Amino acid sequence: MLISRPRVRMFAGASLLVTAAMFATACQSDETSSGSSDSSASAKATTGAAGDAAGDKDTAADSSAKTPGAKDKGAQDGSGADTGNGERGKVGQVCGANDISWSTREETQAGGYILVMAKAKAGITCVLPAALPTVAFGSDGTEAGPAEQSVGPAVTLSGGTTAYAGVNPKTTNDNNGKELDSIIVAVGDKDPNPVSLPVGTITVDKPIVTNWHTSAADAVPFGGGTDQ
């Protein structure tokens, strides 16, 4: 059967239209896919940037939180005392009578006196201040006066270090006085824990006491034997 020339042209034109429509659809699909990929990549980049910013913020917060801790540690160390070489050293605690192991010994030098010996208890380091020891006798509160013209330096007690003070219970040459067999010793008048030390029988009248010394030979209470 013969197809007329006008019909052939019509079929050819229709085929071209179908092909053009299919090509346009394919291009549109590619553009949509490309747009979706670009949007996904943009979203991921935005999320990553936000995560990095949050991480930086957390790091800064951690750093800020740690800084006060370091400052607190410095505050806990305290200012201390000037050591004379541009540095500051920690100030030792003042001894209390209950920080010390006490003992006494009778000596014959200088007309006889009582040597008081003080040693820090195990594990304790403390300072006997530059002040006269407090030594009292009996219930009436008689206290020993100074045997030296000025107070000596502070003494740090630690380990095997021993401090010595000499007590002359009677500095008069008469028969007056009271007889006792113990003395009361404290580190200063405000020491809340004075101790009573046995000394044997002594006569007490106008007693005197030396400063603390690190040598027993320096703790001899000269100055007694007055006719007061």
Side-chain angles (χ1 to χ4, degrees), residues 41-55:
S42 177
K44 289 182 179 180
T46 302
T47 302
D52 290 344

Side-chain angles (χ1 to χ4, degrees), residues 51-153:
D52 290 344
D56 292 342
K57 186 175 180 180
D58 292 341
T59 302
D62 290 344
S63 177
S64 176
K66 291 177 181 177
T67 301
K71 184 176 181 180
D72 290 343
K73 183 178 185 301
Q76 292 170 2
D77 289 340
S79 59
D82 192 350
T83 59
N85 60 357
E87 298 179 355
R88 303 189 72 81
K90 292 183 179 179
V91 178
Q93 69 174 30
V94 175
C95 296
N98 58 345
D99 296 321
I100 296 172
S101 294
W102 300 92
S103 59
T104 61
R105 187 172 71 213
E106 292 186 24
E107 300 286 350
T108 58
Q109 189 178 358
Y113 67 97
I114 301 165
L115 183 65
V116 179
M117 295 166 282
K119 186 176 181 179
K121 293 179 179 178
I124 293 178
T125 296
C126 61
V127 178
L128 292 172
L132 202 67
T134 298
V135 179
F137 304 82
S139 58
D140 62 356
T142 300
E143 288 191 16
E148 300 175 76
Q149 294 183 350
S150 60
V151 297

Side-chain angles (χ1 to χ4, degrees), residues 23-24 29 65-66 142 160 169 208:
F23 180 79
S29 177
K66 291 177 181 177
T142 300
I208 58 174

Side-chain angles (χ1 to χ4, degrees), residues 6-20:
R7 287 188 178 181
V8 171
R9 290 177 179 173
M10 183 180 66
F11 288 149
S15 297
L16 289 173
L17 288 174
V18 171
T19 302

